[in-house]
Amino acid sequence: MTSQLLICISCAFFACLFATLFNPTLVLLAYKKGILDSPGTRKLQTKPVPVIGGISVYLAAISSSIVMNIFQPTESLFMALAACSIIFFVGLLDDLTDISPYKKFVFQILIVAILFASNSYRIDTMNGVFNIFDLPLPISLLISLLTGVGLMKALNMIDGVDGLSSGIGICTCGFCGFYFLIHHDIVYAALAFTFLGSLIPFFFCNVFSRKYKMFIGDSGSLVMGLLAYIFSCRILHENDALIDSKNVSLMVAIFAIPIFDTLRVMTMRMVHGGSPFKADKTHLHHIFVSLKLPHMLITMIILLMVVSIEAFWFLLFSFNLDVTIHTLIVLAFCATMVWGVYFYLNYTKNHRPERFATYTDWALKLRKNPDKMVSKIGRFIDGLKMNEHGLLKYRAQRKH
């Protein structure tokens, strides 16, 4: 166990190191080549920001995986890493040329179908939920496609405020990494810790830095979504009699925020006669933005919700309930927390404006300390001499 933990820590360290080294050069490249996300009516930034965070995360994770192969053979990850590479380039193409949502949707279906055909990554059992165990092949394919494409869409859509998608990615990788480690599944534990390490430098640059600020883009969020599907399939097939019967609800708990938020948003779009893929400002984080909360505080609130749901799962697990009852309670708790917060604040905003104004006043008072902390950490990161000369020189040239 100790040697396995050291391997995981080493993978996270090398990925973090590679990402830290890559970020300044990638930011400079983004400014030179115009790989920028410009301000718009739906967007919260006020100036163009490099969209190369996904490149940093992917390159750091792949580089660390190569190093990992020295300590632990990773042949079993070939299909997973190949699929992540394909979806990375699809996302990168979208970041560069803005491909249509429907073309991207087709690519997502094809990648999940290929993973399904490999026989290693499929949702083919309910482990006793509603007394259902092995699923027929057509049903398994349908649920696998819905899960895989749904998770990619959910992680992509929730990328709305600084640090949110990467924060959820860090929580997911950390939780799944320790889960695999407990099950002595060292290869997948190392993979989870590798992506955790590659996300941390991006998180700090995205949330705190001005000089090295970047967005993760579709190239990063789609990889995280596909990785969530891969981890879900692996969790579903871990052989541990103690936890195995409850791992369907565990999967729901881990990804509850993006799943339930995306389900609500897409359902409401269709109810109002719109396309489920057309972007708007009805996500959970948007209602917090309307309170004038700073991005860091919004991210911390939602990540606290993520941790609370996972803690509730563990608390409920201790009661040793029937697997179906356990799953239904987890589903109800997730829906109540994710949908309840949004509908309450939205109702208050539209029908109790005086109360909502009170909440906004509280938020304005709260944001003073977080803003100061963000500024301090940002000044520290921006003060690091990471390719500073090239970046400042290029920005000066742009001004003239």
Side-chain angles (χ1 to χ4, degrees), residues 25 63 156 170 202 204 231 236 282 330:
T25 302
S63 301
N156 182 243
I170 289 169
F202 166 78
F204 279 93
F231 288 161
L236 199 62
T282 58
V330 170

Side-chain angles (χ1 to χ4, degrees), residues 49-81:
V49 177
V51 195
I52 42 74
I55 302 175
S56 169
V57 171
Y58 172 78
L59 291 179
I62 293 299
S63 301
S64 183
S65 297
I66 294 171
V67 175
M68 180 179 74
N69 196 55
I70 299 172
F71 306 101
Q72 179 69 40
T74 57
E75 292 86 355
S76 59
L77 292 177
F78 173 78
M79 184 58 70
L81 292 176

Side-chain angles (χ1 to χ4, degrees), residues 112 118 148 151-152 164 204 214 218-219 282 304 315 338 346 389:
V112 176
S118 72
L151 284 170
M152 281 188 277
L164 183 55
F204 279 93
M214 63 184 85
D218 281 13
S219 59
T282 58
L304 182 61
L315 177 65
V338 181
N346 191 57
H389 177 71

Side-chain angles (χ1 to χ4, degrees), residues 18 50 122 146 149 167 231 260-261 268 286 289 340 356 361 396:
F18 286 132
R122 55 176 60 179
L146 288 173
V149 176
F231 288 161
F260 281 85
D261 189 48
M268 295 307 295
H286 286 123
V289 170
F356 195 80
D361 291 339

Side-chain angles (χ1 to χ4, degrees), residues 1-10 71-72 181 184 186:
M1 182 69 172
T2 304
S3 61
Q4 293 179 345
L5 180 60
L6 287 174
I7 290 174
C8 291
I9 293 173
S10 299
F71 306 101
Q72 179 69 40
L181 196 59
H184 304 287
I186 181 59

Side-chain angles (χ1 to χ4, degrees), residues 142 147 288 325 392:
L142 177 62
T147 304
F288 287 119
I325 295 174
L392 292 178

